[in-house]
Amino acid sequence: MTRKKVKLAYIANDSARKATYKKRKRGLMKKVSELSTLCGIEACAIIFGPYDSQPELWPSSSGVEHILSRFKKMPEMEQSKNMVNQEKFLRQRIAKTNEQLKKMRKDNREKEITRLMFQSLTAAKGLHGLNMLDLNDLGWVIDQKLKDIAIRIESLKKPSMQLQLRSQPQPPPPSQPSQTQPQSAAWLMELESPQDQMRFVGDDMLLPFGDQTYNYDNAMWSNAFFP
C-alpha cells in the first residue's frame, strides 16, 4: 500500500504537530548521521523546538562548535554560495516547475500538430478550420519532419557508398623504375621518349632515334660512333 502524500502546510492540531515534530526530528538526525558516514564529510545539526528546553545537537556540542568555527573562517562569498532560506528555496522550486511545465506544453503542442498533419494527409480532417497560429505551427512541424527525413536518407546512403567503394577494384600502384637498371638501357629509353622526338646538336638537327631515313654519312654520326 502506497503512502499518502503529506500536504506541506502548518499542522493546526497541537497533538498531531507534536507527534510529527518528534518523528521528523529523529528522521532528520538519522539522515545527517548517514550522510556523514557514507560520504565521509563533516556535518552537524541544531534543532530548536518548542517542546524541548534545550536545543537538539548532533553529533555533540564540541562537534558542532568545531564545524561552526571552520565555517566562520571561510570567506563570506563562500559561506553564502549554497545557502538558501525558505523563500529562496520556494522560488527555485517554482522556477524549476515552470520550466518543466513550459517543456511539457511544447511537447504536447508538437504532438497535437503532428497528429493533425497525419490526419490531413489521410483526408480524415481538413485544414479549413485552422487559424493562423495553427497553420504556422503546422508549417514548422512539416519543416522539422522534412529535415529529419533528409538527415535519415543521408545516414543511410553513407554505408552503401562506402560498401561500393570497397567493392571496386583498386588500381595497382604505379611501378617505380628499377634502381639497378643499366645506364645503357636508361639512355635508350630516354632517347625513345616523346620528349626526344627532335634533338639539336649545334646547327644540325637529329631525327628520332632509329629513323630509317637518317643519313648515315652525316659527319656527326660517324665521328660519334665510328671514330
Side-chain angles (χ1 to χ4, degrees):
M1 184 176 179
T2 58
R3 296 177 58 183
K4 184 179 179 181
K5 188 175 181 180
V6 179
K7 184 179 179 180
L8 294 179
Y10 179 76
I11 302 176
N13 186 276
D14 292 338
S15 59
R17 186 170 65 252
K18 185 176 181 179
T20 302
Y21 168 74
K22 291 182 178 180
K23 180 180 178 181
R24 298 277 177 162
K25 183 180 68 174
R26 289 195 301 268
L28 178 60
M29 294 298 185
K30 182 180 178 181
K31 290 295 182 183
V32 175
S33 175
E34 292 175 352
L35 180 65
S36 178
T37 302
L38 295 175
C39 302
I41 62 172
E42 292 183 324
C44 66
I46 305 173
I47 301 177
F48 287 93
Y51 308 104
D52 299 321
S53 58
Q54 296 294 329
E56 188 81 14
L57 303 178
W58 189 93
S60 62
S61 178
S62 59
V64 171
E65 290 178 358
H66 171 69
I67 295 176
L68 289 179
S69 62
R70 287 192 57 188
F71 177 75
K72 291 180 180 180
K73 291 179 182 179
M74 296 174 59
E76 293 184 2
M77 293 294 295
E78 293 294 328
Q79 291 182 12
S80 59
K81 185 177 180 179
N82 297 322
M83 187 182 299
V84 295
N85 52 19
Q86 184 70 12
E87 181 181 0
K88 187 175 181 180
F89 174 76
L90 292 177
R91 289 184 182 276
Q92 291 178 353
R93 291 290 301 271
I94 291 173
K96 184 177 180 180
T97 305
N98 287 335
E99 290 295 329
Q100 294 177 351
L101 179 60
K102 187 184 299 183
K103 185 178 182 300
M104 292 180 62
R105 285 177 175 174
K106 181 181 178 181
D107 294 341
N108 292 336
R109 179 64 175 173
E110 185 175 351
K111 291 178 181 179
E112 179 184 356
I113 298 298
T114 302
R115 181 169 175 268
L116 179 62
M117 179 186 67
F118 285 113
Q119 287 180 349
S120 62
L121 290 175
T122 57
K125 184 176 181 181
L127 304 178
H128 304 289
L130 299 180
N131 54 28
M132 187 59 65
L133 180 61
D134 294 337
L135 292 175
N136 289 335
D137 292 345
L138 180 60
W140 181 85
V141 169
I142 292 174
D143 291 339
Q144 293 298 318
K145 298 298 181 183
L146 291 176
K147 290 179 182 179
D148 294 341
I149 292 173
I151 294 173
R152 180 61 176 168
I153 292 174
E154 291 296 328
S155 64
L156 293 176
K157 282 183 178 179
K158 289 181 180 179
S160 60
M161 292 176 64
Q162 294 177 358
L163 184 60
Q164 292 178 2
L165 292 175
R166 292 177 181 176
S167 61
Q168 291 179 357
Q170 299 295 329
S175 60
Q176 299 294 334
S178 177
Q179 299 297 331
T180 60
Q181 191 175 15
Q183 295 182 359
S184 59
W187 175 80
L188 180 61
M189 293 176 61
E190 182 181 359
L191 290 178
E192 291 180 346
S193 62
Q195 298 178 355
D196 296 328
Q197 293 295 323
M198 301 179 68
R199 289 179 177 271
F200 292 89
V201 179
D203 296 333
D204 296 329
M205 181 180 70
L206 296 179
L207 296 177
F209 182 80
D211 196 303
Q212 300 300 324
T213 62
Y214 188 83
N215 186 6
Y216 290 96
D217 294 332
N218 189 296
M220 293 183 64
W221 175 276
S222 60
N223 293 334
F225 295 96
F226 304 99

